[in-house]
Amino acid sequence: MADASSSDITGEKQTFKIRRLEITDKRNGYMELLSQLTVTGSVTDDEFDQRFKEITSYGDDHLICVIEEESSGKIAATGSVMIEKKFLRNCGKVGHVEDVVVDTEFRGKRLGKRVVEFLTDHCRGMGCYKVILDCGVEKKEFYEKCGLVNKGIQMSKYF
């Protein structure tokens, strides 16, 4: 298993813990946090639990991390990574980072950078030869500060 253990981050009068998503995090503001990134819809507790169990069944190939503000238990930031297994590069692996968001209440505390570092460290530990992500132009500078470089453009087709 890659290094995905919890660690503490201390901010001004606040202590944050980075860890894997837990099934109880829905009640700690996880879905509300995701809604600051994009449309989440109305996910019931049962739907959340079912999807959580499905995702965790993939083990280290699909990791969702959260940063919890310890005094309140509120989820302050999150991100995920999926490991793609390829035939290229001697059956190499690529990490796909997705859904990085920091709650507006906690921005400016370098939590987003910590999420990206946690996820890229996980990919390194899993033997990935690279980590990729898609982002809007307005986020390019942030991801460059996290050590990523612009390698092209994103194409998509929504259904």
Side-chain angles (χ1 to χ4, degrees):
M1 181 169 128
D3 178 29
S5 59
S6 299
S7 61
D8 291 332
I9 305 162
T10 304
E12 295 175 17
K13 300 180 183 176
Q14 293 175 313
T15 302
F16 300 91
K17 179 188 287 188
I18 190 163
R19 57 172 174 76
R20 289 176 181 259
L21 180 72
E22 297 172 357
I23 200 163
T24 56
D25 285 330
K26 183 175 189 283
R27 70 172 178 254
N28 294 327
Y30 179 71
M31 293 303 297
E32 292 79 3
L33 174 61
L34 286 179
S35 72
Q36 292 181 33
L37 181 65
T38 191
V39 175
T40 58
S42 300
V43 177
T44 67
D45 290 347
D46 187 52
E47 290 169 327
F48 184 89
D49 292 353
Q50 288 177 11
R51 181 54 47 99
F52 178 87
K53 289 173 186 170
E54 177 186 357
I55 290 170
T56 56
S57 75
Y58 302 131
D60 287 336
D61 286 342
H62 191 163
L63 171 69
I64 300 174
C65 75
V66 296
I67 296 181
E68 174 188 351
E69 196 284 310
E70 290 194 287
S71 66
S72 67
K74 185 174 182 180
I75 303 303
T78 189
S80 66
V81 68
M82 290 157 283
I83 308 296
E84 176 189 7
K85 294 176 175 137
K86 304 180 77 69
F87 288 105
L88 299 171
R89 298 193 182 238
N90 297 313
C91 293
K93 295 185 239 177
V94 175
H96 294 264
V97 172
E98 289 280 339
D99 305 333
V100 175
V101 62
V102 177
D103 190 294
T104 55
E105 178 184 343
F106 299 106
R107 291 185 186 163
K109 299 180 184 299
R110 302 177 57 88
L111 300 180
K113 187 173 192 297
R114 185 64 184 106
V115 165
V116 173
E117 289 170 349
F118 187 87
L119 297 172
T120 56
D121 287 349
H122 177 74
C123 292
R124 185 178 293 113
M126 291 289 291
C128 294
Y129 70 88
K130 72 177 177 179
V131 175
I132 59 177
L133 61 81
D134 296 322
C135 70
V137 173
E138 71 282 359
K139 301 293 184 202
K140 180 178 176 274
E141 186 177 329
F142 165 74
Y143 287 111
E144 288 173 340
K145 290 178 184 176
C146 294
L148 286 94
V149 295
N150 185 357
K151 296 296 280 186
I153 61 171
Q154 172 199 38
M155 305 293 290
S156 63
K157 185 172 187 175
Y158 286 81
F159 301 101

